Amino acid sequence: MTSKVSWTLKFYVCPGNTMACTAALIPRLLQGFVRAICTQAALWRLTSVRHLSLTSIMKSERKTDHLERTASVVRREVVAAAKVCGVADESPSVKSLRLLVADKDFSFKAGQWIDFFIPGVSVVGGFSICSSPRLLEQDRMIELAVKYANHPPALWIHNKCTLDSEVAVRVGGEFFFDPQPADAPRNLVLIAGGVGINPLLSILRHSADLHRERANKGSGYEIGTIKLFYSAKNTSELLFKKNILDLVNEFPEKIACSLHVTKQTTQISTELKPYITEGRIMEKEIRDHISKDTLFYICGPPPMTDFFSKQLENNHVPNEHICFEKWW
């Protein structure tokens, strides 16, 4: 587990002989595509071997892509073939995907993201995994939820992706929850905005799996309490709300949630009403959960992430207890 994600960038993506390793691990139809990506990265390294601060990136007229923003972030070496085996509308603006990843060397920690390689699309996507590692271990499946955008990978998912579409994936990211059996119990506060729910849902599902395992075996990691604060524009944009409430109802002594809507114009359903607050997540709600045994995970729009991480710092929460991920 890490604390704060660093956004200082180095323009390198394929150090050493990564291209040769990659070519041996992915299907033939993707080899040319990944070779092109590595060639592009090599050009970046030759012409732009310098550090760019987040400020200079934001001032740039050209929006940086996922590989540039995360060039210095740790990745696994395995690039694995994946096949789309499920596509659904999760909300009016978000599609969920289920991918079959047969390669047993492919694994991830709850909260991490993937590089998403699409044949014929030169831009690499970056999407957080929203499923639990247990789903991959048992069924070789991972799940994503992708918001509609003009970004080529998101456009492909919304307009061209079908069942049996073939892609490739590689795990990266320093934002995760991966407790070991002997670790001391920790309480978790998860703060999500919009599609920032994805990595936090993975952490929530993983925590539930750990709790079930301990209940069944009498051993393993003991989770503390978990409180999810999740904000979206309206209830139709609250992703995975049924999955979240199922976990709350399954483990009422461990898991609780507070769902916030900022621009609700329709009546809130009866089953959702007890969990809904109209308005943004407030600092006091978060402050009430501060303790020496609590870890805070935040993912959402940059202003929201900056605000809550700063407020926690101001309330003397140790930096190593504040973990955040920014999606742009």
Side-chain angles (χ1 to χ4, degrees):
M1 185 187 66
T2 63
S3 53
K4 296 189 177 178
V5 176
S6 169
W7 288 104
T8 300
L9 307 182
K10 297 177 184 177
F11 272 46
Y12 63 90
V13 176
C14 301
N17 198 22
T18 303
M19 190 186 304
C21 297
T22 299
L25 289 167
I26 61 177
R28 186 176 301 277
L29 69 93
L30 292 173
Q31 288 181 14
F33 170 68
V34 176
R35 188 176 295 114
I37 292 295
C38 290
T39 300
Q40 182 185 40
L43 289 174
W44 285 343
R45 187 170 64 245
L46 289 172
T47 61
S48 305
V49 184
R50 65 182 184 274
H51 293 255
L52 294 181
S53 69
L54 180 60
T55 302
S56 66
I57 291 171
M58 297 302 289
K59 288 180 179 177
S60 171
E61 292 182 3
R62 181 179 66 81
K63 185 177 180 180
T64 57
D65 68 20
H66 166 69
L67 286 186
E68 291 176 300
R69 287 197 305 270
T70 63
S72 65
V73 179
V74 174
R75 285 168 163 80
R76 289 177 57 88
E77 292 185 2
V78 176
V79 179
K83 180 178 286 190
V84 177
C85 57
V87 184
D89 291 324
E90 193 62 41
S91 81
S93 64
V94 174
K95 275 194 183 295
S96 60
L97 295 186
R98 179 169 275 213
L99 303 176
L100 174 65
V101 188
D103 189 339
K104 296 293 180 65
D105 290 327
F106 177 90
S107 64
F108 74 98
K109 298 173 183 177
Q112 289 187 300
W113 41 255
I114 54 168
D115 296 328
F116 192 82
F117 302 93
I118 306 164
V121 178
S122 62
V123 179
V124 177
F127 306 118
S128 288
I129 301 170
C130 57
S131 51
S132 167
R134 186 65 51 86
L135 182 65
L136 179 65
E137 293 166 8
Q138 293 180 343
D139 300 331
R140 302 311 306 168
M141 301 278 188
I142 63 171
E143 294 177 348
L144 311 175
V146 180
K147 189 176 179 68
Y148 181 86
N150 288 324
H151 195 242
L155 278 178
W156 181 86
I157 287 170
H158 278 262
N159 298 334
K160 295 184 178 181
C161 179
T162 61
L163 290 179
D164 296 329
S165 289
E166 294 182 342
V167 296
V169 292
R170 176 177 58 192
V171 170
E174 300 161 351
F175 177 88
F176 54 81
F177 179 60
D178 185 38
Q180 301 308 300
D183 289 349
R186 292 287 194 178
N187 301 322
L188 302 182
V189 173
L190 313 177
I191 307 171
V195 289
I197 187 62
N198 285 334
L200 301 184
L201 182 63
S202 178
I203 290 172
L204 184 64
R205 286 169 159 170
H206 182 48
S207 299
D209 285 337
L210 292 173
H211 189 51
R212 293 187 191 102
E213 182 179 20
R214 184 175 175 87
N216 292 334
K217 295 182 178 180
S219 61
Y221 180 73
E222 180 181 356
I223 69 167
T225 61
I226 303 170
K227 182 62 180 278
L228 169 67
F229 293 93
Y230 178 21
S231 176
K233 183 171 64 175
N234 53 54
T235 53
S236 68
E237 293 292 345
L238 284 169
L239 308 179
F240 305 107
K241 45 190 172 284
K242 182 181 184 306
N243 303 96
I244 292 167
L245 294 185
D246 284 348
L247 291 175
V248 169
N249 292 325
E250 184 179 359
F251 304 113
E253 78 288 2
K254 288 288 185 180
I255 300 174
C257 73
S258 178
L259 307 177
H260 290 246
V261 290
T262 57
K263 296 181 180 179
Q264 186 72 20
T265 58
T266 59
Q267 187 172 355
I268 297 169
S269 65
T270 303
E271 62 270 18
L272 276 181
K273 215 161 195 175
Y275 305 97
I276 295 289
T277 298
E278 296 198 48
R280 299 183 183 279
I281 303 167
M282 303 302 289
E283 178 198 349
K284 182 183 183 304
E285 297 176 87
I286 307 302
R287 193 168 60 237
D288 288 345
H289 291 271
I290 293 175
S291 78
K292 63 182 179 62
D293 297 319
T294 300
L295 305 178
F296 294 84
Y297 286 83
I298 313 166
C299 187
M304 173 187 175
T305 303
D306 290 341
F307 174 80
F308 283 114
S309 60
K310 185 64 177 176
Q311 293 303 316
L312 290 168
E313 285 182 10
N314 291 344
N315 282 279
H316 310 294
V317 176
N319 286 341
E320 60 270 22
H321 288 187
I322 307 170
C323 315
F324 63 77
E325 183 97 286
K326 294 181 182 181
W327 287 99
W328 307 89

